[in-house]
Amino acid sequence: MEAETALAELTGSSSDWLRRYGSSLMGVFGTPQRVLVRGSGCTVWDADGREYLDLLGGIAVNALGHAHPFLTSVISSQLATLGHVSNFFTSPTQVALAEKLLQLAGAPEGSKVFFANSGTEANEAAFKLARRNTGSVSPEGAVQRTRIIALDGAFHGRTLGALALTAKKAYRQPFEPLPGGVEHVPFGDVEALRAAVDDTVAAVFVEPIQGEAGVRPLPVGYLQAARDITAAAGALLIVDEVQTGIGRTGAWFASEGVLPDAMTLAKGLGGGFPVGALITFGDTASSLLSAGQHGTTFGGNPVATAASLATLHVIESTGLLEQVRDTGAHLRAALAAVPGVAEVRGEGLLIGFDLAEDSAPAAVSAALDAGFIINSTGPRTLRLAPPLILTRAQADSFVNALPGILATARSAGTTEGKS
Ligand SMILES: *Cc1c(COP(=O)(O)O)cnc(C)c1O
């Protein structure tokens, strides 16, 4: 059977698929907003033929949009050549991608890469790295550095180690006890960090911009202060660039200018193909995890690493970083001028904006009905993380529709309030 024939048999209306979803998929995501069947560039189509401008990009993942011809052909050709080999073996794409990431990150001699398949896995590896920064060990084998610091509002993933680093109570509490030793300090408060970090701390985890918390950038100077504080105490500075990395903010990495001990990447790295990475900077950090102390079956496989190489190549060769800075600045300025928008935050094409009232979830539905995919991270906060290839004209089409979307959302809120 031809591939097209096999896929074409999966026909049905959105309501059919949602009914089948409800009786076959675990309920952790609630009811999906739409059933999507096809994409091209920044546009996707649902099972009923309706078209949407994708301003979320699969949550900061689809850097090159949907069905990018070069990415598609690189993935297909790698899969047709060699798809998976296990980490008993390596492959040229794996080595080339590691080298490329080290080069882009300005990593010094001795820096290394570990490949995973997702953001949470990259952070699990970073968590284990942190645990190996033991400090002095007593004759009884007790380690000195038992504490790990993360920030209020932090999101680092859903597996148990990454969840221990994540701040949100609703995500954590049902799964306690979580791996111990993690403490959360107030967001953006240098003095609180300074007070918390001493020689009992193994690592400090930070996101340059907290994406899940509503696109909250660290205050200017915080990251450098965190670098100085951790360096003085012998703690690792671990930067979670899972959402902010790979061009999302108009730079390769949002932490550029500050050299961490480790960095985690995922989301945009594979252009939509699942891939995550932990980069360790310099010999000392890189030697903390030794042979046999960590592993993965899928991580760094030829297809995932080829997809990442292709993504990086397109970003670099088409001047996308500059385009992201331009389109992002234009979009943020335009959003700030829309009545009902109270505050706009972010960098490049990672944008959060607050509404004057608690109608963000209703705005997400109204936007979908108007043909735009956006996301709410809180009762009055909306997030945009579109493909990096978004054009000004596409950005403008959303800004022009936004007053109508907000009006619909407001009246939906009023109706709900009355019923
Ligand atoms: C999305 C995200 C993660 C988790 O990535 P997954 O691929 O969903 O496991 C971790 N850290 C940050 C900052 C993220 O935005």
Side-chain angles (χ1 to χ4, degrees):
M1 183 160 60
E2 293 293 322
E4 280 78 9
T5 319
L7 295 175
E9 282 178 2
L10 296 174
T11 55
S13 68
S14 290
S15 55
D16 289 340
W17 287 117
L18 287 177
R19 185 180 45 74
R20 289 168 63 178
Y21 180 100
S23 47
S24 58
L25 273 293
M26 206 174 278
V28 292
F29 299 108
T31 304
Q33 296 167 330
R34 292 290 191 272
V35 181
L36 300 178
V37 296
R38 189 164 64 86
S40 175
C42 296
T43 307
V44 292
W45 287 267
D46 73 15
D48 303 327
R50 282 178 298 188
E51 182 178 315
Y52 305 88
L53 180 65
D54 183 3
L55 293 167
L56 187 57
I59 318 183
V61 166
N62 296 299
L64 307 182
H66 299 272
H68 189 278
F70 181 69
L71 179 61
T72 305
S73 78
V74 167
I75 291 173
S76 313
S77 114
Q78 182 61 53
L79 186 58
T81 307
L82 185 68
H84 175 81
V85 295
S86 92
N87 283 301
F88 292 129
F89 307 94
T90 187
S91 60
T93 53
Q94 184 183 69
V95 177
L97 178 61
E99 290 173 349
K100 184 71 192 170
L101 288 174
L102 293 175
Q103 178 229 316
L104 292 176
E109 194 67 26
S111 301
K112 297 285 166 60
V113 179
F114 172 83
F115 288 118
N117 312 287
S118 65
T120 202
E121 278 176 82
N123 284 329
E124 288 297 320
F127 196 117
K128 287 177 75 173
L129 185 86
R131 282 282 199 251
R132 297 310 305 152
N133 185 27
T134 54
S136 62
V137 179
S138 75
E140 296 77 38
V143 302
Q144 177 190 28
R145 299 181 184 275
T146 53
R147 300 164 59 218
I148 293 176
I149 307 294
L151 268 51
D152 284 346
F155 182 82
H156 296 291
R158 303 286 208 142
T159 53
L160 290 171
L163 189 57
L165 299 167
T166 293
K168 196 169 175 172
K169 221 172 170 178
Y171 292 170
R172 301 168 55 89
Q173 221 166 24
F175 305 101
E176 288 173 348
L178 296 171
V182 180
E183 299 163 33
H184 290 88
V185 296
F187 174 84
D189 182 340
V190 170
E191 290 320 311
L193 184 68
R194 200 187 307 280
V197 177
D198 58 21
D199 66 1
T200 64
V201 171
V204 172
F205 280 78
V206 290
E207 299 155 83
I209 301 174
Q210 289 189 336
E212 301 306 301
V215 188
R216 269 206 300 183
L218 285 174
V220 174
Y222 185 93
L223 202 58
Q224 184 58 54
R227 174 67 291 179
D228 298 340
I229 291 167
T230 48
L236 303 174
L237 176 64
I238 302 180
V239 180
D240 180 344
E241 292 244 23
V242 167
Q243 188 155 165
T244 52
I246 313 299
R248 173 57 46 195
T249 65
W252 283 110
F253 307 102
S255 60
E256 256 171 42
V258 174
L259 208 62
D261 298 295
M263 178 192 283
T264 53
L265 298 169
K267 290 200 166 91
L269 179 55
F273 204 90
V275 51
L278 166 70
I279 304 179
T280 51
F281 292 77
D283 283 316
T284 312
S286 299
S287 57
L288 286 174
L289 283 174
S290 54
Q293 288 190 329
H294 196 46
T296 164
T297 298
F298 291 120
N301 87 37
V303 182
T305 47
S308 300
L309 279 172
T311 303
L312 299 177
H313 173 77
V314 173
I315 292 174
E316 202 161 40
S317 63
T318 62
L320 262 191
L321 297 183
E322 195 185 350
Q323 185 183 322
V324 166
R325 291 195 291 273
D326 280 359
T327 316
H330 172 76
L331 179 50
R332 288 196 306 279
L335 287 170
V338 173
V341 173
E343 184 181 292
V344 182
R345 294 177 300 275
E347 220 27 81
L349 286 173
L350 180 57
I351 300 176
F353 59 103
D354 290 343
L355 304 178
E357 46 197 77
D358 287 359
S359 54
V364 170
S365 312
L368 273 171
D369 291 339
F372 299 94
I373 295 178
I374 62 174
N375 166 246
S376 76
T377 60
R380 57 177 59 187
T381 305
L382 294 165
R383 171 175 53 175
L384 309 179
L388 306 184
I389 58 170
L390 187 80
T391 64
R392 251 180 202 239
Q394 288 169 324
D396 287 342
S397 73
F398 173 65
V399 174
N400 293 335
L402 189 56
I405 290 168
L406 296 185
T408 307
R410 239 175 276 128
S411 62
T414 320
T415 321
E416 271 165 33
K418 278 180 188 154
S419 63

